[in-house]
Amino acid sequence: MPEKTYREALREAMVQEMENDESVLLMGEDIGVYGGTHLITDGLLDMFGPRRVVDTPISEGGFTGAAVGMAMTGLKPIVEMMTWNFSFLAADQIIQNAAKVRYFSGGQVEVPLVIRGPNGGGVQLSAQHTHSLENMYGHFPGLKVVSPVTPNDVKGMMLTAIRDPNPVIFLEAGALYGTKGEVPEGDNAVPFGKARVAREGDDVTLVSYGRQVNLCMRVADKLEEEDDVSAEVIDVRSIRPLDEETLVESVKKTHRAVAVQEQWRYFGVASEVAAIIQDKAFDYLDAPVERVSGAETPAPFARNLELAAFPNEDMVADAARRVLYEKVV
Amino acid sequence: MSAENERTGDGGVETQEEPREESRDGGAVATDGEHLVELYKNMILIRTFEEATQRGFRQGKIGGYLHVYIGQEAVATGFIDAYKEGDRVITAYRDHPFPLLLGSDPKSVMAELYGKGTGLVKGKGGSMHLFDVENGLYGGYGIVGGHIPLGVGFAYAMKYQETDHICQLYLGDGAINNGAFHEAANLSGLWGRDGMNPCLWIIENNQYGMGTSVARSTAMTDLGAKFDAYGIEHEKVDGMDLEAVLEVAHRTADKVRETGQPYVVEALTYRTAPHGSADFFEKYRTKDEVKKWRQRDPVGQLEHKLLEREILDEDALEEIRAEMKETIDEATNFADESEEPSVEELYTDVYAGEDEYMGEE
């Protein structure tokens, strides 16, 4: 199977659907002539022309709203949010229009819209350019929210997102655009609402999504090496809908869980995961579910502070040891 | 300045130009008598409908907010006359006249306001979210300014799909100072430069955003001129005079259809009814001001013309009023007697496609 970068896989999905479906178009800031801030759309203007690769002015609310209008009337826009940090300026359009218009129109319209862009931090962009918004958007009925981490999933979930008749919030692991992985040619559509068991294990379940999955994989290696503990790693990848079944099945096997997220602790996805587990697998639990989260501060700039602000291997490994009632050094 | 005007700070009256004589002639529009009678019926339909909704609200049969179109009827009636099948209409929350003019059954419009399952959007939207996509109405939105980018998107899509349809995008004067307005106007002008934005912007300038007059909202009170910043042409019309509106509506709709470029009409009008159901005291305007505008009531003006030109006599007018009253009485009875939506409807239409609802019920 060919190896591709996350960036290439993402681009491939969009090109494939644009070739298959005339109604798919791209919109966003500097996606055309410039080639995209993160070079995801590089070359697409030449391939598809300016009607289908629309460079917009810097007005997130305006162009996101226009895309909602296009989606309501037969087009399938893919909007690039240069980074998700700018989506607050478009939040009224996403939340008040995209998410709800189908409902308050009594089902008379559909909104087949994808809004995509890099989410999360880790590259010293400091407070205003570092957010993980999966819990915020995951809160609103009417939206679907996904957060793929592997090149295979980013392609497969983008195919699914474009074909979905609902608005999809597509949160990319911005720090991982250059990472490589196996990606099949052609159609590898990955359904929403299905978590991926990234690594099988018996003793403890590590639940995460986005780039924290890679962290959990490293921690699983570490636990195996240092503690002889077999950790299962679950990549949730679809935040809404959330695959409760895979979580519950895993905990029934391991009896212990740690939920890891880059975002802030309170009211986050990890809290939801912990709630689901205590709801549906309470009798199987041998320890309270642990959460590992970002520090309760705006994201700092200095590298050492930034590293301290996000979950690291030790934090996750120690949380796993606590739920295993092992001695934490 | 009267004492009352001093109290409100500006008194809406002075902030507005007197309607110009030339616009009152109705230009060169050839509206035959029969057509005027049809439109008169539409205006009476709207007026009667709105009065019935006010009664329904007072009786506690209509919940939520209620924003009526009384005083502004000539604007929607004139512009929707220029609607062609396949066009798309979008507006804010003062939306009751639009489905009525576009061909929705008044019964289902009233039933929606009553929160019934037989309503236009199955009781899921209410007064502010009227949709009838089959007849070209794409809502009905509750956040001031929030719907404007959608209309610009509709217009882009129409050209992308290589049609000759247009979008009629209605907004109030209150939306003009909202960021969504400025971002969308900029996009409309930009895309229109390439013929990709057949959007007819219709500003229903009823002179108040809720209770704040235009003069108390912006130092630049010429609302059409805001569009100069975005390269979009504009003109004004006396929105109390149906014939004037008709002339402008047909001419500008044709122009937008032909060029694929946006165009703006600022219709100066007046909401003689309160802003909404909670606008009890109207401290922001004087009784004199309301009275003055009532004298220019669009329905009254048209009646006067119909009589003067001997198109209809008093009896014929009365007959139309009675006919419309009957239609609205039927609609009200229908709404009253209809069932509420079934509780199962709570979870439908959240998502399109197979997974109608995701989550616990």
Side-chain angles (χ1 to χ4, degrees), chain A residues 73-328:
Chain A
T73 51
L75 303 189
K76 294 176 185 164
I78 304 173
V79 170
E80 175 170 306
M81 209 45 83
M82 187 186 288
T83 80
W84 274 99
N85 306 290
F86 311 153
S87 75
F88 296 115
L89 290 162
D92 183 62
Q93 294 301 326
I94 298 170
I95 295 164
Q96 294 276 32
N97 289 334
K100 298 175 185 169
V101 68
R102 177 171 177 76
Y103 194 75
F104 66 62
S105 69
Q108 291 187 47
V109 295
E110 293 182 353
V111 187
L113 166 70
V114 180
I115 310 177
R116 53 152 291 270
N119 176 57
V123 284
Q124 277 192 278
L125 295 178
S126 73
Q128 290 191 314
H129 282 74
T130 304
H131 291 91
S132 297
L133 297 181
E134 51 278 1
N135 61 330
M136 175 177 134
Y137 288 115
H139 187 61
F140 295 101
L143 299 178
K144 294 188 178 183
V145 181
V146 298
S147 178
V149 64
T150 67
N152 176 71
D153 282 356
V154 81
K155 179 181 172 189
M157 295 185 97
M158 179 51 78
L159 291 175
T160 303
I162 297 169
R163 294 167 189 168
D164 198 294
N166 298 287
V168 178
I169 303 297
F170 200 89
L171 305 168
E172 294 156 13
L176 304 182
Y177 281 137
T179 56
K180 283 193 172 179
E182 287 188 343
V183 181
E185 299 292 348
D187 196 328
N188 70 327
V190 173
F192 292 170
K194 291 270 175 251
R196 177 177 70 99
V197 179
R199 173 191 168 120
E200 292 199 22
D202 300 317
D203 300 330
V204 58
T205 302
L206 308 179
V207 184
S208 66
Y209 52 90
R211 74 185 179 108
Q212 304 306 321
V213 173
N214 294 350
L215 171 67
C216 289
M217 293 296 273
R218 292 197 300 275
V219 170
D221 287 345
K222 185 185 170 90
L223 289 171
E224 185 165 27
E225 239 168 70
E226 296 175 11
D227 302 62
D228 196 26
V229 161
S230 160
E232 178 145 300
V233 176
I234 293 182
D235 172 9
V236 168
R237 72 182 173 180
S238 173
I239 307 295
R240 186 185 186 99
L242 191 67
D243 178 1
E244 300 188 358
E245 195 183 330
T246 299
L247 289 180
V248 169
E249 285 310 309
S250 179
V251 171
K252 281 182 180 174
K253 180 172 67 174
T254 64
H255 310 292
R256 301 156 201 276
V258 175
V260 183
Q261 62 182 6
E262 190 172 312
Q263 64 183 200
W264 293 298
R265 178 185 183 87
Y266 289 99
F267 319 112
V269 173
S271 303
E272 194 59 42
V273 165
I276 289 165
I277 291 170
Q278 75 89 18
D279 248 6
K280 304 206 164 160
F282 184 77
D283 288 339
Y284 295 88
L285 278 176
D286 285 344
V289 179
E290 282 265 349
R291 287 171 293 163
V292 180
S293 310
E296 292 286 324
T297 69
F301 171 69
R303 186 63 182 153
N304 67 320
L305 296 182
E306 182 178 61
L307 286 172
F310 293 132
N312 61 34
E313 284 181 32
D314 286 340
M315 289 158 74
V316 179
D318 286 350
R321 287 170 184 138
R322 282 194 296 273
V323 299
L324 286 155
Y325 300 112
E326 283 188 20
K327 196 173 169 196
V328 175

Side-chain angles (χ1 to χ4, degrees), chain A residues 21-25 27 50-52 54-70 72-75 89 92-93 96-97 99-111 140-144 164-167 240-241 244 279-280, chain B residues 88 90 120-122 124-126 129-134 137-138 140-143 145-154 156-162 180 183-184 186-187 190-191 194-196 345-358 360:
Chain A
D21 187 347
E22 278 281 324
S23 63
V24 179
L25 75 160
M27 295 171 65
R51 276 192 190 192
R52 297 188 71 191
V54 184
D55 270 326
T56 65
I58 302 170
S59 42
E60 287 80 5
F63 67 73
T64 303
V68 175
M70 293 176 195
M72 287 167 64
T73 51
L75 303 189
L89 290 162
D92 183 62
Q93 294 301 326
Q96 294 276 32
N97 289 334
K100 298 175 185 169
V101 68
R102 177 171 177 76
Y103 194 75
F104 66 62
S105 69
Q108 291 187 47
V109 295
E110 293 182 353
V111 187
F140 295 101
L143 299 178
K144 294 188 178 183
D164 198 294
N166 298 287
R240 186 185 186 99
E244 300 188 358
D279 248 6
K280 304 206 164 160
Chain B
R88 287 168 183 144
I90 182 167
L120 203 57
V121 298
K122 304 194 284 190
K124 290 184 169 176
H129 300 302
L130 299 175
F131 279 70
D132 187 348
V133 162
E134 222 167 88
L137 180 60
Y138 280 75
Y141 297 80
I143 306 299
H147 70 294
I148 301 173
L150 272 55
V152 173
F154 296 167
Y156 189 93
M158 286 166 172
K159 278 296 170 192
Y160 189 98
Q161 292 157 333
E162 295 174 353
E183 293 191 16
N186 183 56
L187 288 172
L190 182 70
W191 292 342
D194 303 322
M196 290 295 285
E345 279 290 331
L346 176 61
Y347 290 105
T348 61
D349 305 319
V350 181
Y351 290 94
E354 286 164 25
D355 42 348
E356 272 279 303
Y357 184 71
M358 322 179 301
E360 289 185 75

